[in-house]
Amino acid sequence: MNLDSLFEIVDRLLIESHNRPLNSAENLVLRGIWQYKTYNQIAIEAGYSPGYFTNVVAPELFGRLSEVIGQRVTKKNCQVLLESYAIVEAAPNTKLLKQDLTQFPPTVNQDTSPCYPSGSVPLASPFYLKRSYLEEQIYQEIKKPGALVRIKAPREMGKTSLLLRILDYAKYQGYCTISLNLEQVEQTILSDLNQLLRWLCANIARQLQLQPMLDEYWHEDLGSKVSCTVYFQEYLLESINTPLILALDEVNHIFEHPQVAKDFLPLLRSWYEEAKRLPIWQKLRLLVVHSTDIYVPLELNQSPFNVGLPIQLDNFSQEEVQQLAQCYGLNWTDGEGARQLMAMVGGHPALVHLALYHLSRKEVTLSQLLETAPPASKIYSNHLQRHWATLQKQPELGQAFDNVLNANEAILLDPILTHKLSSMGLIKLSGGQAMASCELYRRFFTKKEQHLALQNQNMN
């Protein structure tokens, strides 16, 4: 449903209930929300005082909409609620459909019921916790000619969920958007620079609905990096009239092929630098997303990881955990539940989501989750076993983490081991010294180490 049709339905509902349609200021607020703008941006662009929409227009508008819809409408959920409600209103058998929706509780396929948290959070999901400051910062950055944004964090911190929203915002701006996940690329392609660059160019052409035309631009004498650059400049960028957002997700998979990484990553950087010299490269806006679990000693002055806008995703705060708990239907208004869960899992987004999901389904109580190891080990089994496997493959890293677990206070580690453990999210730093990032890790890995030590003792 397009925006004008949706607003017509909203107007009709407001006339029926309040005898007044949307006024011009309310119309501006709603259209601004669909364009991911702040109230201040909407006000300044329309010539109003900055606080007018925040303090006057939006509260009154959301109050009226809440009465019509029967649910509390906020800026965050406005788009999802209005679109869902408008679809019901526009249906041929509206009265019957409304009756059915009222008579039967929401099913697990509807947004209001939590699905098992795995992978990225869908765009329309109410269980996405918006990172307002970071998102606004990125939205402003990708509007700049030749921008490069690098998003990094350990696995399961919400990088791909954030990327979905950036691409959605870019589409609303009228930009071309290309999203490529390097996790989907075969190892034979990732291990060969020429094949990787041809794969990149062919996929971008396909998503732009262009003929690949690779052989017309690929010259052995020029080499694959120059051929790829010429292809971008003279074919891809010349074929479009709007900015192109190129999002590369799971770039860490290239790190497993150091020789390819040392050519591919500087190539991205060179395109970013070209935008300062040639206007055509200003059309390209790069989003580079990677997990920090894999450490590779790349040359900083040859990679894109010290240019552009750096974005580091951190753990949720206690206030954010409490906000998310409310989305899952948990009555944690006093903040104590959020505080206790934070003490256990340290605000790690995936661990918080898993806990709240199981708590909302009453499969485990908070006291069980906090006081006994088996429920936590079961809920977080995949996450914990993945880290355990990594530590077992790198004994020096495992020993360093064991030293952290056995210490009564933060300790100093070798810088590279500190970087690796921090990149995995297993430790947090205080004044350059390391401590376990959460109680869950302390309990699980201490018990694992004790069990392993006992096994070795029995074998001897």
Side-chain angles (χ1 to χ4, degrees), residues 105-156:
T107 67
V108 294
N109 293 322
Q110 291 176 298
D111 284 340
T112 52
S113 296
C115 296
Y116 183 80
S118 176
S120 58
V121 182
L123 279 174
S125 173
F127 303 101
Y128 175 75
L129 199 58
K130 188 174 182 180
R131 300 172 186 260
S132 301
Y133 174 73
L134 288 182
E135 289 177 31
E136 183 60 31
Q137 194 178 11
I138 295 169
Y139 295 159
Q140 294 306 315
E141 189 69 17
I142 63 173
K143 292 179 181 179
K144 299 175 183 177
L148 188 154
V149 178
R150 342 177 238 118
I151 302 173
K152 64 176 183 176
R155 297 182 194 180
E156 303 178 310

Side-chain angles (χ1 to χ4, degrees), residues 153-398:
R155 297 182 194 180
E156 303 178 310
M157 290 291 287
K159 298 183 298 298
T160 302
S161 298
L162 174 60
L163 181 60
L164 289 175
R165 282 141 186 92
I166 299 170
L167 293 172
D168 188 53
Y169 172 80
K171 288 177 184 176
Y172 274 103
Q173 301 303 309
Y175 297 172
C176 296
T177 58
I178 304 294
S179 180
L180 298 174
N181 189 326
L182 271 64
E183 189 174 26
Q184 299 172 349
V185 186
E186 291 90 343
Q187 290 296 312
T188 53
I189 294 177
L190 280 176
S191 61
D192 184 288
L193 179 66
N194 184 62
Q195 288 193 57
L196 176 62
L197 295 181
R198 289 179 68 92
W199 173 90
L200 177 72
C201 291
N203 272 276
I204 295 173
R206 179 182 59 81
Q207 291 195 36
L208 290 175
Q209 298 183 335
L210 299 171
Q211 291 296 320
M213 304 282 286
L214 290 177
D215 292 335
E216 285 78 355
Y217 290 88
W218 230 261
H219 299 285
E220 184 177 346
D221 292 339
L222 294 178
S224 56
K225 290 169 67 175
V226 174
S227 296
C228 181
T229 300
V230 171
Y231 184 86
F232 259 82
Q233 180 174 322
E234 298 183 3
Y235 183 50
L236 295 178
L237 296 178
E238 284 285 359
S239 301
I240 58 176
N241 298 316
T242 62
L244 169 64
I245 304 292
L246 174 56
L248 300 175
D249 197 6
E250 297 288 354
V251 172
N252 44 280
H253 284 275
I254 293 182
F255 297 173
E256 299 171 15
H257 307 278
Q259 292 307 313
V260 173
K262 288 177 181 178
D263 279 321
F264 180 77
L265 299 176
L267 179 63
L268 298 183
R269 177 187 173 125
S270 73
W271 294 346
Y272 170 75
E273 299 293 348
E274 283 291 276
K276 301 173 184 177
R277 189 175 67 89
L278 298 174
I280 193 167
W281 282 97
Q282 295 178 2
K283 292 182 183 179
L284 181 63
R285 319 288 163 85
L286 285 167
L287 293 173
V288 179
V289 184
H290 69 96
S291 297
T292 57
D293 302 58
I294 300 174
Y295 175 78
V296 175
L298 293 168
E299 294 289 339
L300 285 178
N301 62 353
Q302 293 181 339
S303 79
F305 298 109
N306 64 337
V307 295
L309 175 67
I311 298 294
Q312 172 76 51
L313 296 190
D314 296 320
N315 287 337
F316 291 153
S317 66
Q318 182 175 323
E319 292 73 19
E320 288 172 326
V321 171
Q322 186 170 340
Q323 179 184 341
L324 193 58
Q326 291 175 348
C327 295
Y328 277 93
L330 299 174
N331 186 24
W332 284 5
T333 54
D334 61 356
E336 183 60 21
R339 187 195 66 76
Q340 292 179 349
L341 183 59
M342 281 280 292
M344 183 66 173
V345 299
H348 188 291
L351 303 185
V352 169
H353 271 287
L354 280 169
L356 296 178
Y357 170 80
H358 288 285
L359 289 168
S360 70
R361 292 171 59 87
K362 303 188 186 306
E363 296 175 353
V364 64
T365 65
L366 183 59
S367 60
Q368 288 175 327
L369 187 64
L370 299 174
E371 295 173 8
T372 59
S377 296
K378 181 180 179 181
I379 290 173
Y380 300 127
S381 175
N382 291 337
H383 177 91
L384 294 170
Q385 291 298 336
R386 173 169 59 81
H387 280 314
W388 175 249
T390 301
L391 295 173
Q392 291 301 293
K393 290 177 183 176
Q394 301 185 49
E396 188 181 14
L397 194 63

